[in-house]
Amino acid sequence: MFRTRLLSGIVLVVIALVVIIAGGPVLAAVLLAVSLVGMNELYRALQIEKREERPKELQNSGLACGPLSLAGYLGCVLWYLLLFFDLNAYTLTVVLAVLILMMSIYVFTYPRYCTEQVTGAFFGFVYVAVMLSCIYELRMMENGVYLVWLIFFASWGSDTCAYCVGMLIGKHKMTPRLSPKKSVEGAVGGVAGAALLGVIYARAISGQLSGEANHMLSFAIICAIGALISMVGDLAASAIKRNHDIKDYGNLIPGHGGILDRFDSVIFVAPVIYYLTQALVGKF
């Protein structure tokens, strides 16, 4: 199991490197695909579409497919199209249009859906598609090819550091009812490790970013805050799974589970890093 998880992790890192360096349409297309799969996983977990209400040919497929889910998927596609064609002024329009469309489906198919399914569908659109798209927005900024990696240092990097520290010296449980294996010591190690990764990275790319500022302090702060948010994202995804009695969101990634099992912290971190880089980079 450990070997499978390790190999899958290496493959994910290689794919991330290739896709993010490529940027542009490649990154947009991959993030769109990841978002659609992640939304489907969440919709299945939240039971947005009841199995018996799916089309007969899809009842055993595990695919959440129905008017409400399709509205979420459509919103996801439109969102990424607007970002790709640099039409950011209309993104709020898409968010509102998705909400109105979902409420219309709620009304005209009543009583097929309950309120919780409608709110869950809209939540899935924002939680997965909108938040994850900040990876693309950060990558396409000035110096984005360098700054975008802070997202992964603060999420995957802090997670690795937290795991190692927790295994070595973890004694005090952080959230025993939600995630018994996570410790306070591991959390501190994750934040400190992410900050250190930020400093090392700033040193490594010294001279590549425009401007004369020393970026070590700003990168350390950004990664440390991102690491804290990363833990919230990880625990939030775990809470959803516990509320709905599932172990994993899917089995797409061997040894890791589904897209949301691997990207739960990235989803939370991406928008935070996107705004923090604009606020802090070059200010010290």
PDB file of all heavy atoms in Angstrom, residues 18-46:
ATOM      1  N   VAL A  18       4.708  19.234 -15.245  1.00  0.00           N
ATOM      2  CA  VAL A  18       4.543  19.404 -16.688  1.00  0.00           C
ATOM      3  C   VAL A  18       3.394  20.350 -16.992  1.00  0.00           C
ATOM      4  O   VAL A  18       3.528  21.284 -17.796  1.00  0.00           O
ATOM      5  CB  VAL A  18       4.308  18.036 -17.369  1.00  0.00           C
ATOM      6  CG1 VAL A  18       3.962  18.225 -18.852  1.00  0.00           C
ATOM      7  CG2 VAL A  18       5.538  17.151 -17.232  1.00  0.00           C
ATOM      8  N   VAL A  19       2.264  20.129 -16.340  1.00  0.00           N
ATOM      9  CA  VAL A  19       1.056  20.902 -16.640  1.00  0.00           C
ATOM     10  C   VAL A  19       1.207  22.360 -16.213  1.00  0.00           C
ATOM     11  O   VAL A  19       0.848  23.278 -16.965  1.00  0.00           O
ATOM     12  CB  VAL A  19      -0.168  20.262 -15.942  1.00  0.00           C
ATOM     13  CG1 VAL A  19      -1.371  21.183 -16.040  1.00  0.00           C
ATOM     14  CG2 VAL A  19      -0.479  18.920 -16.571  1.00  0.00           C
ATOM     15  N   ILE A  20       1.750  22.595 -15.025  1.00  0.00           N
ATOM     16  CA  ILE A  20       1.854  23.967 -14.525  1.00  0.00           C
ATOM     17  C   ILE A  20       2.923  24.754 -15.281  1.00  0.00           C
ATOM     18  O   ILE A  20       2.754  25.943 -15.560  1.00  0.00           O
ATOM     19  CB  ILE A  20       2.126  23.963 -13.016  1.00  0.00           C
ATOM     20  CG1 ILE A  20       0.881  23.449 -12.282  1.00  0.00           C
ATOM     21  CG2 ILE A  20       2.475  25.361 -12.516  1.00  0.00           C
ATOM     22  CD1 ILE A  20       1.047  23.310 -10.798  1.00  0.00           C
ATOM     23  N   ILE A  21       4.008  24.112 -15.621  1.00  0.00           N
ATOM     24  CA  ILE A  21       5.031  24.795 -16.426  1.00  0.00           C
ATOM     25  C   ILE A  21       4.461  25.164 -17.791  1.00  0.00           C
ATOM     26  O   ILE A  21       4.712  26.251 -18.320  1.00  0.00           O
ATOM     27  CB  ILE A  21       6.282  23.914 -16.569  1.00  0.00           C
ATOM     28  CG1 ILE A  21       7.008  23.812 -15.215  1.00  0.00           C
ATOM     29  CG2 ILE A  21       7.226  24.479 -17.633  1.00  0.00           C
ATOM     30  CD1 ILE A  21       8.163  22.842 -15.206  1.00  0.00           C
ATOM     31  N   ALA A  22       3.662  24.263 -18.369  1.00  0.00           N
ATOM     32  CA  ALA A  22       3.050  24.534 -19.673  1.00  0.00           C
ATOM     33  C   ALA A  22       2.086  25.716 -19.584  1.00  0.00           C
ATOM     34  O   ALA A  22       2.053  26.584 -20.452  1.00  0.00           O
ATOM     35  CB  ALA A  22       2.325  23.293 -20.184  1.00  0.00           C
ATOM     36  N   GLY A  23       1.292  25.763 -18.502  1.00  0.00           N
ATOM     37  CA  GLY A  23       0.349  26.857 -18.305  1.00  0.00           C
ATOM     38  C   GLY A  23      -0.683  26.944 -19.416  1.00  0.00           C
ATOM     39  O   GLY A  23      -0.949  25.973 -20.124  1.00  0.00           O
ATOM     40  N   GLY A  24      -1.263  28.118 -19.602  1.00  0.00           N
ATOM     41  CA  GLY A  24      -2.194  28.384 -20.697  1.00  0.00           C
ATOM     42  C   GLY A  24      -3.285  27.351 -20.867  1.00  0.00           C
ATOM     43  O   GLY A  24      -3.878  26.877 -19.889  1.00  0.00           O
ATOM     44  N   PRO A  25      -3.571  26.960 -22.120  1.00  0.00           N
ATOM     45  CA  PRO A  25      -4.683  26.038 -22.381  1.00  0.00           C
ATOM     46  C   PRO A  25      -4.493  24.663 -21.753  1.00  0.00           C
ATOM     47  O   PRO A  25      -5.471  24.015 -21.381  1.00  0.00           O
ATOM     48  CB  PRO A  25      -4.722  25.946 -23.912  1.00  0.00           C
ATOM     49  CG  PRO A  25      -3.394  26.433 -24.379  1.00  0.00           C
ATOM     50  CD  PRO A  25      -2.941  27.426 -23.361  1.00  0.00           C
ATOM     51  N   VAL A  26      -3.246  24.201 -21.645  1.00  0.00           N
ATOM     52  CA  VAL A  26      -2.989  22.892 -21.039  1.00  0.00           C
ATOM     53  C   VAL A  26      -3.426  22.892 -19.576  1.00  0.00           C
ATOM     54  O   VAL A  26      -4.156  22.004 -19.125  1.00  0.00           O
ATOM     55  CB  VAL A  26      -1.496  22.509 -21.149  1.00  0.00           C
ATOM     56  CG1 VAL A  26      -1.219  21.208 -20.387  1.00  0.00           C
ATOM     57  CG2 VAL A  26      -1.076  22.371 -22.599  1.00  0.00           C
ATOM     58  N   LEU A  27      -2.996  23.893 -18.825  1.00  0.00           N
ATOM     59  CA  LEU A  27      -3.350  23.992 -17.417  1.00  0.00           C
ATOM     60  C   LEU A  27      -4.852  24.190 -17.249  1.00  0.00           C
ATOM     61  O   LEU A  27      -5.481  23.560 -16.376  1.00  0.00           O
ATOM     62  CB  LEU A  27      -2.595  25.150 -16.762  1.00  0.00           C
ATOM     63  CG  LEU A  27      -2.895  25.404 -15.276  1.00  0.00           C
ATOM     64  CD1 LEU A  27      -2.591  24.173 -14.439  1.00  0.00           C
ATOM     65  CD2 LEU A  27      -2.089  26.605 -14.773  1.00  0.00           C
ATOM     66  N   ALA A  28      -5.448  25.047 -18.068  1.00  0.00           N
ATOM     67  CA  ALA A  28      -6.888  25.297 -17.970  1.00  0.00           C
ATOM     68  C   ALA A  28      -7.680  24.020 -18.226  1.00  0.00           C
ATOM     69  O   ALA A  28      -8.640  23.718 -17.503  1.00  0.00           O
ATOM     70  CB  ALA A  28      -7.299  26.383 -18.960  1.00  0.00           C
ATOM     71  N   ALA A  29      -7.278  23.256 -19.250  1.00  0.00           N
ATOM     72  CA  ALA A  29      -7.991  22.026 -19.596  1.00  0.00           C
ATOM     73  C   ALA A  29      -7.868  20.983 -18.492  1.00  0.00           C
ATOM     74  O   ALA A  29      -8.847  20.317 -18.135  1.00  0.00           O
ATOM     75  CB  ALA A  29      -7.457  21.468 -20.905  1.00  0.00           C
ATOM     76  N   VAL A  30      -6.667  20.840 -17.931  1.00  0.00           N
ATOM     77  CA  VAL A  30      -6.461  19.847 -16.866  1.00  0.00           C
ATOM     78  C   VAL A  30      -7.240  20.243 -15.609  1.00  0.00           C
ATOM     79  O   VAL A  30      -7.882  19.396 -14.971  1.00  0.00           O
ATOM     80  CB  VAL A  30      -4.960  19.692 -16.553  1.00  0.00           C
ATOM     81  CG1 VAL A  30      -4.750  18.845 -15.306  1.00  0.00           C
ATOM     82  CG2 VAL A  30      -4.250  19.051 -17.737  1.00  0.00           C
ATOM     83  N   LEU A  31      -7.192  21.518 -15.235  1.00  0.00           N
ATOM     84  CA  LEU A  31      -7.933  21.966 -14.058  1.00  0.00           C
ATOM     85  C   LEU A  31      -9.446  21.823 -14.262  1.00  0.00           C
ATOM     86  O   LEU A  31     -10.176  21.491 -13.315  1.00  0.00           O
ATOM     87  CB  LEU A  31      -7.590  23.416 -13.728  1.00  0.00           C
ATOM     88  CG  LEU A  31      -6.232  23.650 -13.074  1.00  0.00           C
ATOM     89  CD1 LEU A  31      -5.973  25.143 -12.906  1.00  0.00           C
ATOM     90  CD2 LEU A  31      -6.151  22.953 -11.713  1.00  0.00           C
ATOM     91  N   LEU A  32      -9.909  22.048 -15.480  1.00  0.00           N
ATOM     92  CA  LEU A  32     -11.332  21.853 -15.776  1.00  0.00           C
ATOM     93  C   LEU A  32     -11.704  20.386 -15.571  1.00  0.00           C
ATOM     94  O   LEU A  32     -12.718  20.080 -14.929  1.00  0.00           O
ATOM     95  CB  LEU A  32     -11.633  22.276 -17.214  1.00  0.00           C
ATOM     96  CG  LEU A  32     -13.031  21.934 -17.735  1.00  0.00           C
ATOM     97  CD1 LEU A  32     -14.111  22.587 -16.884  1.00  0.00           C
ATOM     98  CD2 LEU A  32     -13.178  22.354 -19.200  1.00  0.00           C
ATOM     99  N   ALA A  33     -10.874  19.482 -16.099  1.00  0.00           N
ATOM    100  CA  ALA A  33     -11.144  18.051 -15.940  1.00  0.00           C
ATOM    101  C   ALA A  33     -11.101  17.637 -14.475  1.00  0.00           C
ATOM    102  O   ALA A  33     -11.978  16.902 -13.998  1.00  0.00           O
ATOM    103  CB  ALA A  33     -10.129  17.239 -16.752  1.00  0.00           C
ATOM    104  N   VAL A  34     -10.101  18.120 -13.748  1.00  0.00           N
ATOM    105  CA  VAL A  34      -9.985  17.798 -12.317  1.00  0.00           C
ATOM    106  C   VAL A  34     -11.194  18.334 -11.554  1.00  0.00           C
ATOM    107  O   VAL A  34     -11.743  17.654 -10.671  1.00  0.00           O
ATOM    108  CB  VAL A  34      -8.678  18.385 -11.742  1.00  0.00           C
ATOM    109  CG1 VAL A  34      -8.666  18.312 -10.215  1.00  0.00           C
ATOM    110  CG2 VAL A  34      -7.468  17.634 -12.302  1.00  0.00           C
ATOM    111  N   SER A  35     -11.628  19.538 -11.892  1.00  0.00           N
ATOM    112  CA  SER A  35     -12.778  20.136 -11.220  1.00  0.00           C
ATOM    113  C   SER A  35     -14.054  19.340 -11.480  1.00  0.00           C
ATOM    114  O   SER A  35     -14.854  19.111 -10.561  1.00  0.00           O
ATOM    115  CB  SER A  35     -12.968  21.585 -11.678  1.00  0.00           C
ATOM    116  OG  SER A  35     -11.874  22.384 -11.310  1.00  0.00           O
ATOM    117  N   LEU A  36     -14.260  18.921 -12.721  1.00  0.00           N
ATOM    118  CA  LEU A  36     -15.459  18.156 -13.053  1.00  0.00           C
ATOM    119  C   LEU A  36     -15.491  16.819 -12.317  1.00  0.00           C
ATOM    120  O   LEU A  36     -16.528  16.399 -11.788  1.00  0.00           O
ATOM    121  CB  LEU A  36     -15.544  17.932 -14.567  1.00  0.00           C
ATOM    122  CG  LEU A  36     -15.870  19.171 -15.411  1.00  0.00           C
ATOM    123  CD1 LEU A  36     -15.714  18.869 -16.890  1.00  0.00           C
ATOM    124  CD2 LEU A  36     -17.283  19.670 -15.112  1.00  0.00           C
ATOM    125  N   VAL A  37     -14.334  16.150 -12.272  1.00  0.00           N
ATOM    126  CA  VAL A  37     -14.260  14.871 -11.551  1.00  0.00           C
ATOM    127  C   VAL A  37     -14.487  15.102 -10.057  1.00  0.00           C
ATOM    128  O   VAL A  37     -15.216  14.353  -9.397  1.00  0.00           O
ATOM    129  CB  VAL A  37     -12.905  14.178 -11.796  1.00  0.00           C
ATOM    130  CG1 VAL A  37     -12.779  12.927 -10.922  1.00  0.00           C
ATOM    131  CG2 VAL A  37     -12.753  13.799 -13.257  1.00  0.00           C
ATOM    132  N   GLY A  38     -13.850  16.139  -9.508  1.00  0.00           N
ATOM    133  CA  GLY A  38     -14.015  16.449  -8.096  1.00  0.00           C
ATOM    134  C   GLY A  38     -15.451  16.796  -7.745  1.00  0.00           C
ATOM    135  O   GLY A  38     -15.973  16.373  -6.705  1.00  0.00           O
ATOM    136  N   MET A  39     -16.121  17.552  -8.609  1.00  0.00           N
ATOM    137  CA  MET A  39     -17.525  17.881  -8.372  1.00  0.00           C
ATOM    138  C   MET A  39     -18.384  16.626  -8.393  1.00  0.00           C
ATOM    139  O   MET A  39     -19.293  16.461  -7.570  1.00  0.00           O
ATOM    140  CB  MET A  39     -18.012  18.878  -9.428  1.00  0.00           C
ATOM    141  CG  MET A  39     -17.478  20.290  -9.246  1.00  0.00           C
ATOM    142  SD  MET A  39     -17.975  21.391 -10.593  1.00  0.00           S
ATOM    143  CE  MET A  39     -19.744  21.456 -10.348  1.00  0.00           C
ATOM    144  N   ASN A  40     -18.100  15.724  -9.333  1.00  0.00           N
ATOM    145  CA  ASN A  40     -18.858  14.478  -9.394  1.00  0.00           C
ATOM    146  C   ASN A  40     -18.667  13.654  -8.120  1.00  0.00           C
ATOM    147  O   ASN A  40     -19.631  13.091  -7.580  1.00  0.00           O
ATOM    148  CB  ASN A  40     -18.417  13.658 -10.611  1.00  0.00           C
ATOM    149  CG  ASN A  40     -19.131  12.320 -10.686  1.00  0.00           C
ATOM    150  OD1 ASN A  40     -20.348  12.251 -10.807  1.00  0.00           O
ATOM    151  ND2 ASN A  40     -18.370  11.248 -10.589  1.00  0.00           N
ATOM    152  N   GLU A  41     -17.438  13.603  -7.613  1.00  0.00           N
ATOM    153  CA  GLU A  41     -17.176  12.874  -6.368  1.00  0.00           C
ATOM    154  C   GLU A  41     -17.959  13.474  -5.206  1.00  0.00           C
ATOM    155  O   GLU A  41     -18.545  12.749  -4.399  1.00  0.00           O
ATOM    156  CB  GLU A  41     -15.675  12.897  -6.056  1.00  0.00           C
ATOM    157  CG  GLU A  41     -14.831  12.073  -7.010  1.00  0.00           C
ATOM    158  CD  GLU A  41     -13.341  12.190  -6.717  1.00  0.00           C
ATOM    159  OE1 GLU A  41     -12.960  13.030  -5.871  1.00  0.00           O
ATOM    160  OE2 GLU A  41     -12.551  11.452  -7.335  1.00  0.00           O
ATOM    161  N   LEU A  42     -17.966  14.799  -5.128  1.00  0.00           N
ATOM    162  CA  LEU A  42     -18.681  15.461  -4.044  1.00  0.00           C
ATOM    163  C   LEU A  42     -20.186  15.282  -4.192  1.00  0.00           C
ATOM    164  O   LEU A  42     -20.894  15.037  -3.203  1.00  0.00           O
ATOM    165  CB  LEU A  42     -18.325  16.948  -4.016  1.00  0.00           C
ATOM    166  CG  LEU A  42     -18.904  17.749  -2.838  1.00  0.00           C
ATOM    167  CD1 LEU A  42     -18.358  17.221  -1.508  1.00  0.00           C
ATOM    168  CD2 LEU A  42     -18.586  19.227  -2.979  1.00  0.00           C
ATOM    169  N   TYR A  43     -20.684  15.386  -5.414  1.00  0.00           N
ATOM    170  CA  TYR A  43     -22.115  15.219  -5.645  1.00  0.00           C
ATOM    171  C   TYR A  43     -22.580  13.816  -5.270  1.00  0.00           C
ATOM    172  O   TYR A  43     -23.689  13.626  -4.762  1.00  0.00           O
ATOM    173  CB  TYR A  43     -22.451  15.510  -7.113  1.00  0.00           C
ATOM    174  CG  TYR A  43     -22.456  16.992  -7.467  1.00  0.00           C
ATOM    175  CD1 TYR A  43     -22.628  17.413  -8.775  1.00  0.00           C
ATOM    176  CD2 TYR A  43     -22.290  17.963  -6.486  1.00  0.00           C
ATOM    177  CE1 TYR A  43     -22.641  18.759  -9.114  1.00  0.00           C
ATOM    178  CE2 TYR A  43     -22.295  19.309  -6.805  1.00  0.00           C
ATOM    179  CZ  TYR A  43     -22.473  19.707  -8.120  1.00  0.00           C
ATOM    180  OH  TYR A  43     -22.479  21.049  -8.440  1.00  0.00           O
ATOM    181  N   ARG A  44     -21.728  12.823  -5.539  1.00  0.00           N
ATOM    182  CA  ARG A  44     -22.073  11.456  -5.139  1.00  0.00           C
ATOM    183  C   ARG A  44     -22.085  11.322  -3.616  1.00  0.00           C
ATOM    184  O   ARG A  44     -22.963  10.686  -3.038  1.00  0.00           O
ATOM    185  CB  ARG A  44     -21.103  10.451  -5.753  1.00  0.00           C
ATOM    186  CG  ARG A  44     -21.362  10.202  -7.234  1.00  0.00           C
ATOM    187  CD  ARG A  44     -20.579   9.026  -7.777  1.00  0.00           C
ATOM    188  NE  ARG A  44     -19.156   9.305  -7.859  1.00  0.00           N
ATOM    189  CZ  ARG A  44     -18.236   8.722  -7.108  1.00  0.00           C
ATOM    190  NH1 ARG A  44     -18.576   7.840  -6.193  1.00  0.00           N
ATOM    191  NH2 ARG A  44     -16.962   9.020  -7.270  1.00  0.00           N
ATOM    192  N   ALA A  45     -21.084  11.936  -2.965  1.00  0.00           N
ATOM    193  CA  ALA A  45     -21.006  11.870  -1.502  1.00  0.00           C
ATOM    194  C   ALA A  45     -22.214  12.548  -0.854  1.00  0.00           C
ATOM    195  O   ALA A  45     -22.758  12.054   0.145  1.00  0.00           O
ATOM    196  CB  ALA A  45     -19.711  12.523  -1.016  1.00  0.00           C
ATOM    197  N   LEU A  46     -22.637  13.670  -1.422  1.00  0.00           N
ATOM    198  CA  LEU A  46     -23.762  14.420  -0.870  1.00  0.00           C
ATOM    199  C   LEU A  46     -25.110  13.908  -1.363  1.00  0.00           C
ATOM    200  O   LEU A  46     -26.147  14.450  -0.966  1.00  0.00           O
ATOM    201  CB  LEU A  46     -23.628  15.908  -1.241  1.00  0.00           C
ATOM    202  CG  LEU A  46     -22.380  16.638  -0.737  1.00  0.00           C
ATOM    203  CD1 LEU A  46     -22.390  18.095  -1.195  1.00  0.00           C
ATOM    204  CD2 LEU A  46     -22.273  16.558   0.781  1.00  0.00           C
TER     205      LEU A  46
END
